[in-house]
Amino acid sequence: MHIERMGDELIVQAPAKLNLFLEVLARRADGYHELETLMCPVGLYDTLGFSPDDQSSELSLHCDWRPLDRGALLGSVALGGAIAGGDGAAAWEGPATERPADRDNLAFKALDLLRKHCGIGQGARVRLIKRIPAAAGLAGGSSDAAAALAAGNLGWGLGLSHRELSTLAAELGSDVPFFLHPKGAICRGRGERIEPLDCGRSGWFVIVRPATGLSTAEVFNACRPSGQPRRAAEFVDALRSGGWERAGRALFNALEPAAERLSPEIARLRREFDRIDVLGHQMSGSGTSYFGVCRHAAHARQVAARLRSRRLGQVFAVSGCL
Ligand code: C5P
């Protein structure tokens, strides 16, 4: 997450994430699943603009969907894109189910929760440019919620600590606390217990989001916890000792079989990636996004161009750092 001030407005770039490793350890009594997952923020961003309003208690959020699937390699350079300028793409006329009403938006709920927690009545105008596809295993909504918490804390001058923000974040969703950290991390519990990682390795990925998404709850419902769990440390060791060549072979996602039973897109994407020279490939989170690990930026562009020609869905070439 990257925050900058432009006049009265705070601009937050909220990244998507990829799960490079995800093991389901157990089903819990509260209906959640105990996880060990390794998540990496990547250079595909939603942009949240937050303008505090001391004269009114009204909280308004305007959400604008914009596709960003036009061949550019997205990385930290994307941070410079100002919300007002946008990327020139037309508003996305996607399915209505993928456009949560503004008050149902998790970023709105985050700001509402923050105000209640602090007992304040100030208002704010929030603009959200969505580029991260929904129901995709990329946690766009969770990232927006974390961005809103950080912006509200700063813009309203609340002074909450990182720990307090993390507690609120966990109330909003299992993936939200991760996005308060700028780096890759191993996440445990239901996803809210974060162990930041610093392997100092940049990676390049190509993500495909097929036409249809999957519900996180349905995928978790259909999964079976492992009797012999694998550990994220195996992935970290592979990356540290052998770079992305070895890490590509150590990718793992225990939710993939469940998602595959619910959506034909997963097996189709796996077949497509099997035919391409990448270091490894798998589904992200609860799907339906599927990604491949590339050798370098030019390789990612090449892979993305080939996948675009196959008309599988939205294709993003992105960088990330672990
Ligand atoms: O926490 P969040 O609201 O994002 O989770 C959405 C749904 O995904 C939950 O209601 C639950 O069904 C499922 N889930 C789970 N175990 C997790 C995280 C999510 O079963 N660790």
Side-chain angles (χ1 to χ4, degrees), residues 3-306:
I3 307 187
E4 64 185 311
R5 198 177 281 279
M6 288 176 81
D8 289 341
E9 192 172 32
L10 288 170
I11 306 289
V12 192
Q13 306 292 354
K17 59 83 176 158
L18 290 176
N19 298 78
L20 303 176
F21 175 94
L22 192 161
E23 178 63 287
V24 180
L25 302 169
R27 197 182 290 263
R28 305 187 340 184
D30 62 6
Y32 283 89
H33 291 76
E34 201 65 17
L35 302 180
E36 185 167 88
T37 182
L38 193 155
M39 304 210 281
C40 177
V42 293
L44 165 62
Y45 299 91
D46 287 345
T47 306
L48 182 133
F50 176 92
S51 308
D53 186 352
D54 292 338
Q55 311 305 317
S56 150
S57 61
E58 197 192 339
L59 193 56
S60 68
L61 185 143
H62 178 80
C63 188
D64 188 10
W65 282 89
R66 298 193 189 177
L68 215 174
D69 177 16
R70 292 171 303 142
L73 184 79
L74 306 173
S76 51
V77 286
L79 287 171
I83 193 167
D87 59 271
W92 180 36
E93 296 303 325
T97 51
E98 296 192 0
R99 287 169 178 252
D102 292 349
R103 279 182 172 267
D104 292 337
N105 189 293
L106 207 53
F108 185 94
K109 290 183 178 168
L111 291 169
D112 208 28
L113 180 67
L114 193 57
R115 285 205 305 188
K116 285 189 181 123
H117 178 80
C118 296
I120 61 156
Q122 283 136 288
R125 286 183 308 282
V126 182
R127 300 189 287 156
L128 184 57
I129 295 182
K130 291 286 307 169
R131 304 183 188 91
I132 305 170
L138 302 174
S142 299
S143 188
D144 298 343
L149 285 179
N153 191 35
L154 206 61
W156 284 324
L158 302 174
L160 295 193
S161 67
H162 191 273
R163 181 186 283 262
E164 285 172 289
L165 285 180
S166 296
T167 304
L168 294 179
E171 273 184 49
L172 292 159
S174 308
D175 283 344
V176 182
F178 164 76
F179 288 103
L180 295 171
H181 294 260
K183 292 252 170 85
I186 297 177
C187 307
R188 299 191 177 85
R190 61 182 169 90
E192 86 287 16
R193 284 184 7 233
I194 316 292
E195 178 195 329
L197 277 176
D198 197 357
C199 302
R201 303 267 186 175
S202 294
W204 285 268
F205 311 95
V206 173
I207 306 169
V208 182
R209 192 328 189 140
T212 54
L214 275 173
S215 137
T216 304
E218 276 180 41
V219 175
F220 270 105
N221 241 337
C223 82
R224 292 181 201 104
S226 169
Q228 289 187 309
R230 292 175 56 165
R231 309 309 312 204
E234 294 165 30
F235 180 90
V236 176
D237 287 348
L239 182 62
R240 287 206 166 114
S241 62
W244 289 104
E245 288 277 346
R246 263 195 71 197
R249 294 194 294 274
L251 294 173
F252 177 68
N253 186 347
L255 291 177
E256 203 168 305
E260 192 172 335
R261 287 195 291 278
L262 296 167
S263 166
E265 305 273 20
I266 307 304
R268 181 172 172 221
L269 288 169
R270 186 183 309 111
R271 282 195 300 274
E272 291 287 345
F273 272 92
D274 271 339
R275 291 199 203 111
I276 294 181
D277 170 36
V278 285
L279 301 177
H281 54 85
Q282 73 173 16
M283 188 181 83
S284 180
S286 55
T288 49
S289 289
Y290 201 96
F291 67 94
V293 181
C294 298
R295 293 190 175 80
H296 43 68
H299 183 216
R301 276 195 206 96
Q302 211 178 53
V303 169
R306 171 147 174 209

